Structure formats: C-alpha cells, structure tokens
Amino acid sequence: MEHFYSDPTFQMACEQFRLIADHLQMPENLRERLMYPKRSLAVAVPVRMDNGSTRVYQGYRVQHHLSMGPTKGGTRFASTVTVGEVAALAMWMSWKCALSGLPYGGAKGGVHVDPRALSRNELEGLSRRYMQEMIPFIGSHTDIMGPDMGTNEQVMAWFMDTYSAYKGHAVPEIVTGKPVSVGGTSGRRESTGRGVVYLIERAANVIKLKLISSTAVVQGFGNVGAVAAQGLAYKNGMRIIGISDVTGAYRNDKGIDVKAAGEYVLKHGDLTGFSGAEPISAEELLTMECDVLVPAAVSAVIHGRNATQLKCKILAEGANGPTTPEADLILAKRGDIFVIPDILCNAGGVIVSYFEWIQSLQSFFWNETEVVDRLFRVLEQSFAAVIKRAKDEKISNRLAALAIGVERVMKARCDRGLFP
Ligand code: NAD
C-alpha cells in the first residue's frame, strides 16, 4: 500500500507513525490497520475553460479511519497535490481530531491545480464538478469537507450548493468553513489563526517569554498566516518582522504593517510588489532571528539542512507537516526551541468546524463569543495534556501530541474489534 500512496509527505507521516507505534509498544498486528488509509477515491475533473477548451484535472479524497464517527478534512487546491500528500494529510487529521477529542476520523481531499491560474468561472466549474464526483463517497454522517490551502468560503458555498441541488434540499452540514449566510458559523474563518495565537501565548507563558515587543516571522499569508500575524501584532503587541507567500518573502526589522499587507493581498491577490518591507529569500525568512516562527504554508520547509540554523524560541506550526522527522531530531537535540506541533497548533480550524457541523445539524446557532470561548477551552485541555505527557515521559511535544492522538484511535479500534 505504501507504493500506492508513494510520496515524500506520506513517507514522512508513516515515519512519524512508526516512532509513535514503537513508543506506545503497539502490537504488530495493529500497526498496518492504523497507519494505512481506509479508502480513497481518485477522479478526473473536466472543466470547461473560458476559451472554449476542456481541461481535465486530477482530484482525490482519502478517508483515513472510520472508527470514531464520520471522517472530516479539508480540500486542497494546489499544484503540489498527489494522492500520497492527501493521504498523509488525512492521517494527520486523524491524530489531530483524536487529540482534540472530536468524534471524527481524518480525511483530506485535493485537486492537482494552481487555483490562481483559473478565472472565477473556471474555479466554480472545477469546485462544482469535483464535489459532484465526490457525492457517492461523502455524506454528512460519512465524510464532511472543509477548506484547506487554495480553497475558501466561496468554494465551500459552491460545494454545499452542488451537494444540496443533488439532494433536493439544503444540506449545510456537508461542508464546514462555508459563509455564515448559508449556515456557516461565526468565527470559523479566523479559527485556525486564532488557535495558533492562543497556543503561542500559552507557550510563551511556559518559557517565560514576554510577547509584548518581541518579534515574529510568519511564512504563508493566507487564512492561517494572515490571521495569526494580525493576532500576534494587534492582540499581543508583537513586531512582525518577516512575512511571505508563494510569490516571495519580505523583511522589515522595524515591524511590518500586517493590516496593510492583508489589504494589499485582498486587492492584488498576493504580496508581489508589497512596499512595506524589503524582499528577501524564502530560506532567509525561516532562519531570521526572532522570538516566534510560524510556518503557515506548505509541508517540509524545516528540514535537515536548516533546522540547525533556526533562531526562534517558539516554533508554532500553523501548517500541516512543516517539520521533517530529520529536523525533529535536530530540534530535540538542540532543546532550545519550544515546538507547538501541527496537530495541536492548527487544530483550531477543525475544532470550530466541529462546532459548525453541530450547529448545521441542529439549525441552532451560537454567537462568536461562545465559539471562541469553547475553542479556547478545548485547546487549553489539549495543550495541558501534551505538556504533561511530554514532561512525564521525557519526550518531545510532537511525540506527546501524536502519542495521545494515536492511542485514542488505537483504543477505539480495539474496542470495536475486527469485522467479521
Ligand atoms: P491559504 O491558501 O489561505 O494560504 C496559503 C498561503 O501560503 C498563501 O499566502 C500562499 O501564497 C502561501 N504559500 C503557498 N505555497 C508557499 C510556499 N511554497 N512558500 C511560502 N508560502 C507559500 O491556505 P491556509 O488555509 O492558510 O493553509 C495554510 C496551511 O495551514 C496549510 O498547510 C494547511 O493545511 C494548514 N491548515 C489550514 C487550516 C484552515 O483552516 N485553513 C487548518 C489547519 C491547517
């Protein structure tokens, strides 16, 4: 099966899993059952382009395990998407949901496409056809979609509308991250970045770092990165000295006006030509001296070649899988960086997605204060559990977070047994 999902990101997720399985002394006969995805679907997604031609894009959805309820996971539109990357992201979703105590298995979807190269019409065609192809595979009690890199509230609205048109009535609970106007929840769009900021505050407290006037660098300026940068700057009084997106990286030691950067991206689509900072290389961004580093873009950006050069005190993983196992070993050996591992750090998104799903199922809506308050309570519990486990077992925060998540899934699997 490893051959089918063959991909460096999948190998990375498997390598992490094996470390945890060893740590938990997991019986051999459970390892493959827990590691490999339950099922996956690959689809061809034909799209009528504005110039009259038809292009076919490759789409995937992977459901990792179904032992604890429906699966849940975002949909990624990016030119890096492979079935193996989607499978790795689905696996991480499983551990993340279990760590947060959510009644979900992990899933993920993706289309191999650069969404920035599509017109709005083409993007709508792609989104609707992808969802249409997924209809036999998903359901509000089987597999619930959400946003990820390259998709947003508008794409979720198209997904929801397509599925609802097929069913003959509105089915808002089939997706999360949709606009509030069609049954989305207040506070979903900001939830991942807000959770990242909350956990940075908690980590700063542990290492006795005063956030006010300290510095942060944020890689990726989308849903997660931009919201996190704003929270760090305006809620905590931090100086954001580096930001980046897929088009380039920028540095300003006096502090970047992140509100202006956000408005610039809204107007121009990306940071190209942003004048509030000096352009620098993507590699320099990650190794800048700063108090908090937030990778919030793609996976495997912190690796064996740059892990020794990181100069931050807190590494807050907004992205999924930003640190390779090789880099993890280096960071563990250094011991001077407090790592908030991805399955904890960016869990705010799926936690509020869970709140949205519940509200959609009940047609009973909460206000933003209730959403944020409940989000912080769940994150607090997970943070405390991870810190305690790491301390008790003298392991890294990542191993502790993964151990809690994997263990909970293992327990559910064992309790349900093997059919037939
Ligand atoms: P997004 O599409 O809103 O933004 C992604 C940002 O990363 C953009 O600014 C893009 O230009 C930038 N980027 C892309 N490739 C890059 C590269 N090679 N180098 C530097 N920047 C690059 O996506 P998002 O929703 O903010 O997701 C970002 C990360 O957070 C992903 O790893 C995603 O899986 C993870 N995540 C997202 C959510 C969520 O709720 N959106 C939840 C949990 C985890």
Side-chain angles (χ1 to χ4, degrees), residues 136-186:
F137 197 55
I138 61 166
S140 350
H141 291 281
T142 315
D143 183 10
I144 303 122
M145 294 195 179
D148 191 76
M149 215 165 76
T151 57
N152 55 20
E153 287 184 357
Q154 178 59 75
V155 173
M156 295 307 113
W158 289 326
F159 280 178
M160 178 262 185
D161 183 68
T162 305
Y163 191 82
S164 300
Y166 167 79
K167 286 284 180 185
H169 56 89
V171 190
E173 61 272 22
I174 191 63
V175 294
T176 61
K178 55 194 175 287
V180 172
S181 61
V182 295
T185 185
S186 308

Side-chain angles (χ1 to χ4, degrees), residues 23 34 183 187 398 405:
H23 180 72
L34 278 178
R398 185 181 321 283

Side-chain angles (χ1 to χ4, degrees), residues 76 148-150 188 192 220-224 245-246 296-297 318-320 346:
R76 178 173 285 198
D148 191 76
M149 215 165 76
R188 170 60 184 91
T192 311
F221 207 70
N223 180 282
V224 181
D245 71 4
V246 70
N320 284 306
N346 66 38

Side-chain angles (χ1 to χ4, degrees), residues 181-259:
S181 61
V182 295
T185 185
S186 308
R188 170 60 184 91
R189 196 168 46 79
E190 303 81 0
S191 57
T192 311
R194 210 173 238 161
V196 170
V197 172
Y198 178 83
L199 292 163
I200 290 171
E201 291 164 5
R202 296 294 289 111
N205 192 263
V206 172
I207 64 164
K208 302 198 178 1
L209 169 73
K210 262 177 84 176
L211 287 182
I212 194 153
S213 304
S214 62
T215 55
V217 168
V218 181
Q219 182 193 46
F221 207 70
N223 180 282
V224 181
V227 173
Q230 285 174 15
L232 294 176
Y234 303 123
K235 187 172 166 223
N236 289 286
M238 292 181 74
R239 212 160 13 110
I240 313 301
I241 55 171
I243 58 172
S244 78
D245 71 4
V246 70
T247 63
Y250 298 85
R251 172 179 193 152
N252 180 345
D253 289 348
K254 292 200 179 105
I256 293 167
D257 181 343
V258 285
K259 189 161 173 270

Side-chain angles (χ1 to χ4, degrees), residues 1-285:
M1 231 190 266
E2 209 152 343
H3 178 69
F4 176 75
Y5 293 112
S6 160
D7 177 273
T9 317
F10 187 67
Q11 278 160 18
M12 190 172 136
C14 291
E15 214 173 303
Q16 276 179 352
F17 175 83
R18 291 191 185 102
L19 280 176
I20 295 301
D22 288 345
H23 180 72
L24 296 175
Q25 298 178 330
M26 187 184 291
E28 280 302 327
N29 62 2
L30 264 178
R31 293 187 182 209
E32 291 204 340
R33 279 183 71 204
L34 278 178
M35 188 170 81
Y36 289 123
K38 182 69 186 167
R39 54 196 184 200
S40 48
L41 179 67
V43 291
V45 186
V47 179
R48 194 168 290 117
M49 308 302 281
D50 291 347
N51 66 7
S53 67
T54 301
R55 281 198 64 179
V56 179
Y57 295 93
Q58 189 65 49
Y60 308 99
R61 182 108 187 138
V62 176
Q63 297 169 358
H64 179 246
H65 83 84
L66 299 138
S67 302
M68 296 164 87
T71 49
K72 177 86 193 79
T75 305
R76 178 173 285 198
F77 287 176
S79 46
T80 50
V81 164
T82 65
V83 68
E85 185 192 54
V86 175
L89 290 163
M91 204 194 295
W92 286 324
M93 276 301 284
S94 288
W95 319 140
K96 189 188 302 182
C97 291
L99 173 64
S100 299
L102 308 181
Y104 291 139
K108 208 78 177 189
V111 178
H112 182 95
V113 60
D114 177 2
R116 295 178 317 134
L118 300 184
S119 70
R120 184 182 160 91
N121 253 343
E122 292 164 345
L123 186 64
E124 179 172 357
L126 176 81
S127 305
R128 288 187 179 281
R129 186 60 189 257
Y130 172 77
M131 172 48 113
Q132 192 271 326
E133 297 291 344
M134 289 294 141
I135 287 174
F137 197 55
I138 61 166
S140 350
H141 291 281
T142 315
D143 183 10
I144 303 122
M145 294 195 179
D148 191 76
M149 215 165 76
T151 57
N152 55 20
E153 287 184 357
Q154 178 59 75
V155 173
M156 295 307 113
W158 289 326
F159 280 178
M160 178 262 185
D161 183 68
T162 305
Y163 191 82
S164 300
Y166 167 79
K167 286 284 180 185
H169 56 89
V171 190
E173 61 272 22
I174 191 63
V175 294
T176 61
K178 55 194 175 287
V180 172
S181 61
V182 295
T185 185
S186 308
R188 170 60 184 91
R189 196 168 46 79
E190 303 81 0
S191 57
T192 311
R194 210 173 238 161
V196 170
V197 172
Y198 178 83
L199 292 163
I200 290 171
E201 291 164 5
R202 296 294 289 111
N205 192 263
V206 172
I207 64 164
K208 302 198 178 1
L209 169 73
K210 262 177 84 176
L211 287 182
I212 194 153
S213 304
S214 62
T215 55
V217 168
V218 181
Q219 182 193 46
F221 207 70
N223 180 282
V224 181
V227 173
Q230 285 174 15
L232 294 176
Y234 303 123
K235 187 172 166 223
N236 289 286
M238 292 181 74
R239 212 160 13 110
I240 313 301
I241 55 171
I243 58 172
S244 78
D245 71 4
V246 70
T247 63
Y250 298 85
R251 172 179 193 152
N252 180 345
D253 289 348
K254 292 200 179 105
I256 293 167
D257 181 343
V258 285
K259 189 161 173 270
E263 282 162 5
Y264 189 90
V265 170
L266 263 185
K267 192 163 170 207
H268 301 277
D270 56 48
L271 285 168
T272 311
F274 176 62
S275 57
E278 291 295 310
I280 54 167
S281 74
E283 199 51 32
E284 183 185 336
L285 182 94

